Amino acid sequence: MRHLLEIDDLSSAEVNQILDLATDAPQALAGKGMALIFEKPSARTRNSMEMAVVQLGGHPVYIQGQEVGFDTRETVEDVTRTMACFHSLVGARVFAHSVVERMAALDLVPVVNMLSDAAHPLQALADLLTMRREFGELQGRSVAYVGDANNVARSLALAAGRAGMSFRISSPSGYGFSEVDADRIANAGVTIDIHDRPEDAVAGADAVYADTWTSMGQEAEAEQRRRDFEGFQVDERLMALAVPGAIFLHCLPAHRNEEVTDAVLDGDCSRIWVQAANRMHAARGALAWLAQENG
Ligand code: CP
Ligand code: NVA
C-alpha cells in the first residue's frame, strides 16, 4: 500500500505524475470518503483538502483531534482501524510524526500526512506546482529558504531535489537541520547549500522562501526565537539580492513583519496567494494519484 508521509515516499517520476494530475484529475474518489483528522489548527490544509476530495467526487469528513483522542480515547492504531471501516483515505495533521508512521504501518488504508513536526509534503507539492507554473522546467532552478529548518523546510528540500532544483538554506545557529534530517535529505540524493548569512543563501536564487520562526506547538519559545532569528527577516533589501524577477514564497500563515515584511508579502515578487490556491490543485493531484496507486 502506498502512503504519503513525506516527499521521499515518492520518486521524481511520481512527483511529476502528481503535478500533472493536479491539472487533469479523474473522478478518482467517486462515492468514497476521506477522513481528515486535525490535532492542530488549519486554514489552507483543511479547506484545500475538503475541496480536493469534493472535486474528485468523494466526501470529506473533518474530525478534530480530540474527537478521536489519539492514544487517550483510543490507540492511534484503533482510530486508524475505525477510519478504515468507512473511508478510502485518511489524512492526519499531528504533533508527532511517529503518529502518521504508526497509522501507515497498519497498511489498512492509505495515509496522508497533512503536517507533522517533521514534514509537510502537501505544502511542498503545492510549492513545486507554483514554481513549475512560474518557471516552466524546474531542473537547474534554485530555491533559497531563510529561517527555521522545520517541517516545511525539510519537505521543500526533498521536493527541490526530486525536481532537480538546488536548495539553499540559511538558519540561525541551533536552528539548522538535525543530523537525522540532514542524513535523510542526503540519502534522497539532495545536496543542500548551507549558508550562515541569509544574503549568501539568497544571492542569485530564483525563489526565496520563508516560514514562521515559531511553529505550532513551539509557542512557549516564541520570545526566545524572536531574539534568535534577528537578522533573518526577508525584506526588500534581501529580495534584491536574488535574480531579477525572483519570486517570494511562504506556506502561510505569515507573521507579518517578523519573518517577512509587508512590503515583500504584498509586493510584486510575492506569489503567496497563487501558492495558497495551488494547495487545492496539488492536493487533488496527490489524492488522485494515491487512489489510483492503491486502486
Ligand atoms: N500552509 C498551511 O498548511 O496552512 P494551514 O496551517 O492554514 O493549513
Ligand atoms: N512550520 C509551520 C507551518 C504551518 C503551515 C508549523 O508547523 O506550524
Side-chain angles (χ1 to χ4, degrees):
M1 180 169 282
R2 300 297 300 272
H3 305 276
L4 178 53
L5 304 191
E6 177 53 303
I7 291 292
D8 55 6
D9 289 340
L10 306 166
S11 67
S12 292
E14 288 168 343
V15 167
N16 270 323
Q17 282 171 24
I18 288 174
L19 299 183
D20 291 342
L21 280 168
T23 42
D24 187 19
Q27 291 279 292
L29 294 181
K32 296 180 175 170
M34 178 165 194
L36 304 170
I37 305 172
F38 286 85
E39 283 195 300
K40 297 175 181 177
S42 168
R44 280 143 291 268
T45 305
R46 176 184 176 181
N47 284 279
S48 61
M49 289 291 278
E50 287 204 18
M51 290 312 300
V53 172
V54 168
Q55 289 164 359
L56 293 172
H59 182 86
V61 177
Y62 169 75
I63 301 158
Q64 281 188 357
Q66 64 204 33
E67 290 179 66
V68 288
F70 284 135
D71 284 338
T72 52
R73 187 167 188 267
E74 213 165 6
T75 65
V76 168
E77 286 75 12
D78 285 352
V79 171
T80 311
R81 290 183 183 106
T82 305
M83 294 302 145
C85 295
F86 314 115
H87 296 288
S88 297
L89 293 168
V90 176
R93 168 168 283 200
V94 297
F95 285 96
H97 191 73
S98 57
V99 170
V100 283
E101 288 178 332
R102 284 168 61 195
M103 295 172 81
L106 294 175
D107 267 346
L108 262 183
V109 60
V111 176
V112 180
N113 178 8
M114 301 195 297
L115 183 146
S116 66
D117 55 352
H120 199 2
L122 292 168
Q123 181 66 53
L125 290 168
D127 301 340
L128 284 187
L129 189 62
T130 306
M131 290 190 281
R132 186 158 110 166
R133 287 179 173 178
E134 184 75 28
F135 301 132
E137 175 57 49
L138 291 180
Q139 183 84 32
R141 296 281 186 169
S142 56
V143 55
Y145 180 97
V146 178
D148 191 19
N150 59 14
N151 43 10
V152 167
R154 186 175 99 160
S155 294
L156 182 67
L158 290 165
R162 287 291 187 261
M165 299 180 71
S166 64
F167 182 81
R168 301 132 173 235
I169 185 165
S170 181
S171 313
S173 168
Y175 294 97
F177 283 121
S178 68
E179 226 167 274
V180 174
D181 284 341
D183 284 350
R184 181 159 181 164
I185 294 165
N187 284 337
V190 184
T191 311
I192 311 181
D193 289 330
I194 301 172
H195 298 274
D196 291 339
R197 299 173 62 245
E199 289 80 1
D200 296 331
V202 165
D206 294 298
V208 177
Y209 202 116
D211 183 17
T212 180
W213 293 337
T214 302
S215 284
M216 290 180 276
Q218 299 172 333
E219 288 78 7
E221 300 168 24
E223 268 312 309
Q224 182 64 47
R225 282 172 172 265
R226 249 178 235 122
R227 284 193 290 275
D228 293 344
F229 281 81
E230 210 176 303
F232 285 79
Q233 183 186 66
V234 178
D235 57 14
E236 287 175 300
R237 177 198 59 87
L238 197 64
M239 281 306 298
L241 300 173
V243 297
I247 61 169
F248 173 76
L249 300 172
H250 192 308
C251 57
L252 304 178
H255 300 79
R256 286 175 172 268
N257 301 309
E258 282 194 17
E259 73 270 9
V260 55
T261 59
D262 280 343
V264 171
L265 276 172
D266 302 329
D268 288 345
C269 61
S270 177
R271 296 293 181 276
I272 57 172
W273 299 117
V274 179
Q275 187 185 4
N278 281 337
R279 287 295 308 272
M280 181 173 72
H281 305 308
R284 211 169 49 236
L287 299 183
W289 178 83
L290 264 178
Q292 280 178 357
E293 284 297 306
N294 293 300

